[in-house]
Amino acid sequence: MKSLTPNLMVGNVARALAFYCDTLGFTFEMGVAEEGGPIATDRTNEQDFICAMVRNGGACFMLLEERAFAHDLPAFAGRKPGASATFYLEVENVNALHEKLAGNVTEVKPLCDMWYGKREWYIADPDGYVLCLAHTLRT
């Protein structure tokens, strides 16, 4: 295996881009407004996107509008965004992110030190996906 890129069903791609890019600092890589349409390399027409890809270091997500998601994968027709999973993102400094974002994101679990040597903070994106932002504690 070479990489893992979760493909997230979202209610609104522009809203998801605002969260991942503007709030969490991901970089916009590409977007499309219609299946088979031209690939956009900037967010100028993000209100029309049905699909987009974002990246931050080794973390990458595909964001696919729910109707387009169900069209591509009919088994998901009628399902809503969200998952019974979390996405564990190793970051340089979770304390700095907590200080910057606290009060501006939905907190799922407060910043805490874990017995296995990690400091973790769980937040939710606008579609209910849970992200764990974590870094290794120095010993």
Side-chain angles (χ1 to χ4, degrees):
M1 296 192 197
K2 293 171 57 177
S3 67
L4 171 67
T5 303
N7 190 351
L8 306 181
M9 178 194 306
V10 300
N12 181 284
V13 173
R15 180 184 70 196
L17 283 171
F19 178 80
Y20 284 96
C21 294
D22 303 338
T23 302
L24 293 184
F26 279 69
T27 300
F28 174 84
E29 289 204 339
M30 59 76 81
V32 294
E34 61 185 63
E35 187 174 333
I39 295 173
T41 56
D42 63 50
R43 291 173 60 190
T44 304
N45 296 316
E46 71 182 34
Q47 294 301 325
D48 297 329
F49 290 157
I50 62 167
C51 178
M53 179 184 275
V54 297
R55 180 178 306 277
N56 189 333
C60 185
F61 288 106
M62 290 291 297
L63 309 168
L64 191 59
E65 188 274 329
E66 65 186 286
R67 285 177 306 229
F69 198 102
H71 179 269
D72 286 352
L73 295 165
F76 286 91
R79 293 190 189 179
K80 293 294 177 197
S84 59
T86 63
F87 297 99
Y88 197 89
L89 301 164
E90 187 82 24
V91 299
E92 291 292 326
N93 187 336
V94 73
N95 297 328
L97 279 174
H98 183 267
E99 187 174 310
K100 176 182 174 184
L101 301 176
N104 295 317
V105 296
T106 301
E107 184 174 85
V108 174
K109 182 178 177 183
L111 185 67
C112 61
D113 293 345
M114 303 304 293
W115 61 269
Y116 42 84
K118 298 285 186 176
R119 178 166 291 149
E120 300 175 346
W121 184 38
Y122 286 80
I123 63 172
D125 82 357
D127 289 287
Y129 294 102
V130 176
L131 310 175
C132 176
L133 307 173
H135 76 245
T136 302
L137 295 169
R138 303 271 182 230
T139 54

